[in-house]
Each structure stands twice: as structure tokens, then as C-alpha cells.
Amino acid sequence: MAGNMSSYLFRGILMNLRFAQFLKKFSSFESRIEKLSDIINYGRLVSINGLVVEVVGLRMPIGSECFIERIIDGKNLNIHAEVIGFSGKKTILLSFEEIDGVFPGARVFSKLGNDANSIIKKMPLSIKLLGRVLNGRGQPLDQLPKIDHKYYTIIKNYNINPLNRTPITEILDTGIRAINGLLTIGRGQKIGIFSSSGIGKSILLGMMARYTKADVIVIALIGERGREVKDFIENILGVEGLSRSVVIAAPADVSPLLKIQAASYAANIAEYFYKKNKHVLLIMDSLTRYAMAQREISLSLGELPVSKGYPSSIFSKIPNLVERTGVYNKNKGSITSFYTVLTEGEDEQDPVSHLARSILDGHIILSRYYADLGHYPAIDIESSISRVMPNIINSTQNHQALYFKKLVASYQRNRELINIGAYITGTDLVLDHAIKIWPKLEKFLQQEISEKSDYSFSCQELNKIFL
């Protein structure tokens, strides 16, 4: 009898222990359930074409983030993707990364919260971004801690009423003599830098980032070589330049969707600081790579090319991006933007180059001829123009700048005659003057990367040429 009682007692204790363990596991499982989103939508992958993924059974709005199931070596390494369109009952996604290891019929899921705002993109927007290098999704590339989630904000893009725009009246000091004196830029102006590869574009951008009088500088490096990104940050921008800058980098090896998001995110950051009454300088290198990323996505979705392989949608995407900068309220700050445009082969029919010229407030042309001569910055003054310059400078500087251009144009057109001694002095008074003061003109146009020339000093140097 005593043995039976002991056996019952032992069983009771064992059952209590098992029940306690069950409650502990159940409590842990319950807490994990509570942490899950309110809704989990699942679909199945049915087709992959490059980075474009087709899914059935997933009903999600365009722009929402999804995850593609991938298991490698027993580890769950889900791939981030975004909904970009629909085709019948299929949902079309674009992956942010390579899709190696994905198997047929893999689950594609999205986690939603209990309100509509949960599907709207949130990105970090804060003063904490200064001095940071991030990718197009706001994730750090500089080995520093992630931005705290409390600084994440819903991203919304608004169309600006053109009547709310304020006229540009204030001069922006870029610290570059040729630009300050001959191509004066106004705060809130949109400028294109047209350049082919290897003629000093990055150095010019670095000088602007270092010397321009702006409160905040936002630099978007879109589609550039990874080596150039690091070189630009460490050797051209420098520690001092980075301290007041936010760098958004999407190198050439990332997905086209991430390049597009990086460009848009950089504009969002510029808008954030503008609303904080800051004068912002936005530098985007390059607008051409942004257009190429848009082209890749559009062609993947079946849109027909209409000009040099570019689909018709590119002619609305670029203006939508560019028109987000400027001056909207004279009592607040400003967003002055510089967009680089690649002009390989100097093809005048390139649709991106042609479109950029038409919608920007001016353009700075970099010349390979000057770069080959060791003339830096290699700005072709004859072909460059600032459309707001006559409205923000005095008449004296305007006349001097126009005459300076006239002298340079006259000398360049007759350079061969001058070099072989075929030009007869007295034939052209303007050319005679250009030949006489040509060393002064060349000296004014050239500037070392370590040399800063503010606006007032640039005007003084311009005035000295004609004394």
C-alpha cells in the first residue's frame, strides 16, 4: 500500500513538473504570437525573370514591402522585395538583392499592422543623419549603429503648387571662382553638370561639398563604382565635409529599385532639413544612372522603349524628382540642387541629357579638351549658363562676365591661327584683347582642389582682369 502511495505521489509530482514546463513553453509561445503583426499575407512564387518576381495569392498595394522565403544551410535568409505592379491575378515584385537559393513555389509574405499607415514606407529622417553614410533604405553603410526606430517617419511626396514657389534672389557662394564670377548660382536653383567620364566631375562635386555656404549637404551617389564611393567620402569630401553632410549611396552593383529609392530618399532628406529652415545643398551623382535604373524596371514590366531604349515614363519620372527642390517660402530655407548628367560620346540626342537641359535652371559643361590640357576645373565657360544669374547680380558683374565669355570664345575659335602665327594683329579688336590678357583669363578659370575662392573675392579677381 505504501509503495502504491509513493508511486502515485511520484507520478503527481512528475505531472506537475510537466504541466509547469508546458505552461512556460505556452507563455513563451504566446508572447511570440503577440509580437507578430496582426495580419500575415501569404502568396506563392510562380515565376522569376531577372530580379522581377511573379506571385499568386498575395494581395498587396503597390509600394508595400514583402519577403521572399529563402533557406540556405538551414538558415532563414529571407529576401526583401517590393510590390511594383500587377498582371491579372499575379502580383509583380522587384527584389532588392540577388535571388540565389530561391526555390519554385517559395512562400512570399508580408506583415501588416492594424492600420493603413503600416503599409506606407517609413525612413529615418532626423538631425541624427548628419555625418552618416546610408543606403537607399536608410540602413547604415559606415559600420556605425543603426538609426533608432523612433526617428523613422512616413515618407510622402507632394506636388508643389508653382504659384507657391518664391523667386530666387539670394546668391549661393560655391567657393569656386569660375562659377561664382561667371556662372553665379542662386539659392534654390537647379543646375545640371554635364560631363563624360574621367574629366574631374567628382573633384568638382567635392569642392562644392567642401566650400559651398550651406547648412546641410545631402549627397546621393547613384550607380557609381563602389571604389569611387569610398574614395569620394574619404579623400574628396573629407572629415570636415562629412560632418555637415548626409551621404546616400547606391553603388552600381545594387538593384535598380534600390538606386531609385536612394535618389528619392536623398530628396526626402533635403526636404526634411528645408522644413527645419536650413539652406540645403543637394548633390546627385548621377541623374543618368537614376534614369537607367528606371529604364531597367520599366522594360522588365513590358513597357515599350521609345527613345534610345528609354520608355516614355522616364519623361515624367525625372521632372517629378527634380521639381521637389527649390524655394517654396522666402521665410524658410532653400534646396539648391546639382545633378550630374553623363554625356558619353557627346551625343546631343541622348534623351536624358536633352530632358535635363530643358527642365533645369542652367547647366555647367565639363570639357575633355580642357581636362586633357590639365585645366581644372574643366568647365567650358562658352557652353555653360546660369539662367537666374542676370536677376541676382549687379550690372557691372553681368557685363564683365559676358565680355569674359566673349574673349574666351574668340580666342578658342582662332587658337590654331594664333598658334601657327597666321593671325594678323589688328584684324579683330576683341581677339587682340583676348590674346593680350589670355594668361589672366586662364588663371581665373583654374583652381586647385585645396583652394577656396568665396563670392566677393571672385568678383574682385574678375574686376582686376579688366582694370
Side-chain angles (χ1 to χ4, degrees), residues 57 74-75 188 197 321 347 357 427:
K75 296 180 180 179
S197 59
L321 179 68
D347 186 2
R357 285 175 184 266
T427 305

Side-chain angles (χ1 to χ4, degrees), residues 5 20 42 45 63 192 201 233 264 284 309 342 366 410:
M5 289 295 294
Y42 284 97
L45 186 150
K201 168 175 57 69
I233 294 171
S264 181
M284 190 168 294
L342 300 179
L366 300 187
S410 180

Side-chain angles (χ1 to χ4, degrees), residues 27-155:
S27 177
S28 175
F29 181 73
E30 187 178 25
S31 64
R32 290 169 62 188
I33 289 293
E34 289 176 352
K35 292 180 181 179
L36 292 176
S37 300
D38 298 322
I39 305 172
I40 302 178
N41 286 343
Y42 284 97
R44 292 287 179 178
L45 186 150
V46 295
S47 174
I48 295 179
N49 182 15
L51 294 178
V52 176
V53 178
E54 293 186 351
V55 180
V56 294
L58 184 69
R59 295 175 59 84
M60 293 294 299
I62 291 177
S64 56
E65 189 176 78
C66 298
F67 302 89
I68 303 172
E69 182 182 27
R70 177 175 63 173
I71 299 176
I72 299 178
D73 294 333
K75 296 180 180 179
N76 192 354
L77 302 175
N78 293 333
I79 297 175
H80 291 268
E82 182 177 307
V83 177
I84 59 172
F86 306 100
S87 177
K89 294 184 178 181
K90 295 179 181 178
T91 301
I92 301 174
L93 289 74
L94 193 69
S95 169
F96 283 108
E97 52 194 292
E98 293 295 332
I99 50 181
D100 297 336
V102 175
F103 52 88
R107 291 186 304 170
V108 181
F109 57 94
S110 177
K111 299 178 182 179
L112 298 181
N114 54 11
D115 59 12
N117 287 334
S118 61
I119 64 173
I120 300 176
K121 290 181 184 177
K122 291 185 177 182
M123 305 286 279
L125 291 176
S126 166
I127 194 75
K128 300 288 185 181
L129 296 180
L130 289 176
R132 299 300 304 269
V133 182
L134 309 171
N135 67 8
R137 301 174 64 213
Q139 299 172 337
L141 298 175
D142 49 13
Q143 280 76 52
L144 295 177
K146 290 184 178 181
I147 306 296
D148 195 304
H149 199 269
K150 67 181 179 181
Y151 298 117
Y152 277 62
T153 306
I154 294 174
I155 297 297

Side-chain angles (χ1 to χ4, degrees), residues 261-430:
Q261 285 200 0
S264 181
Y265 181 37
N268 288 129
I269 295 173
E271 290 169 339
Y272 168 81
F273 283 106
Y274 163 76
K275 292 175 182 177
K276 299 293 182 182
N277 298 331
K278 302 293 185 182
H279 291 294
V280 183
L281 175 65
L282 172 62
I283 297 174
M284 190 168 294
D285 183 20
S286 70
L287 192 64
T288 303
R289 303 296 187 198
Y290 169 81
M292 288 179 175
Q294 290 282 9
R295 176 176 64 182
E296 186 174 348
I297 292 177
S298 297
L299 294 180
S300 298
L301 293 175
E303 191 174 349
L304 296 177
V306 296
S307 178
K308 298 288 184 178
Y310 288 96
S312 58
S313 61
I314 199 67
F315 299 102
S316 63
K317 297 290 186 181
I318 291 179
N320 287 343
L321 179 68
V322 170
E323 285 297 308
R324 292 168 62 180
T325 64
V327 183
Y328 320 133
N329 189 325
K330 64 181 179 181
N331 298 322
K332 290 189 176 183
S334 62
I335 305 176
T336 307
S337 52
F338 287 86
Y339 302 91
T340 64
V341 180
L342 300 179
T343 55
E344 297 295 342
E346 299 182 356
D347 186 2
E348 295 295 334
Q349 300 302 316
D350 176 60
V352 177
S353 176
H354 182 73
L355 178 61
R357 285 175 184 266
S358 64
I359 63 175
L360 295 174
D361 299 324
H363 47 266
I364 298 172
I365 310 296
L366 300 187
S367 167
R368 185 168 296 280
Y369 170 77
Y370 283 113
D372 291 342
L373 293 175
H375 181 294
Y376 292 103
I379 299 175
D380 184 353
I381 291 297
E382 304 168 64
S383 304
S384 304
I385 188 172
S386 171
R387 291 190 175 118
V388 305
M389 178 179 175
N391 302 325
I392 60 176
I393 63 173
N394 57 50
S395 59
T396 300
Q397 183 191 348
N398 191 40
H399 290 313
Q400 289 176 342
L402 290 174
Y403 187 57
F404 189 106
K405 284 189 173 184
K406 189 175 183 179
L407 292 175
V408 172
S410 180
Y411 187 91
Q412 294 294 357
R413 289 182 187 131
N414 295 278
R415 176 182 286 273
E416 292 184 2
L417 292 176
I418 297 169
N419 290 339
I420 64 176
Y423 173 71
I424 301 174
T425 304
T427 305
D428 187 337
L429 295 180
V430 174

